[in-house]
Amino acid sequence: MNAGAPLDMRPGGAPHTGHRLVRVALRAAAALLATAVLAGVFMLYLQPEFLRALADQVWACF
């Protein structure tokens, strides 16, 4: 074992990419979730009945 080798290096010298893949997968999943939520909110705003009900609920607070 080489005492000067970093711990995340494989014996062949290639860097360990597992953490990078997990980070990329989590970032992609977060982007997909955010896109789905934004698309859902956009679809709700296209319905006039929803907008009216939302306005009535907000107005009822006052």
Side-chain angles (χ1 to χ4, degrees):
M1 178 157 197
N2 189 356
L7 295 177
D8 63 344
M9 296 290 284
R10 292 185 184 165
H16 181 65
T17 59
H19 296 291
R20 184 180 304 151
L21 291 176
V22 170
R23 191 174 342 137
V24 169
L26 285 175
R27 187 174 291 175
L32 185 62
L33 178 65
T35 302
V37 167
L38 288 175
V41 169
F42 180 72
M43 291 297 200
L44 285 175
Y45 274 105
L46 289 177
Q47 298 179 5
E49 307 87 32
F50 170 74
L51 284 178
R52 176 61 190 238
L54 183 63
D56 288 340
Q57 289 175 358
V58 170
W59 187 250
C61 293
F62 301 104

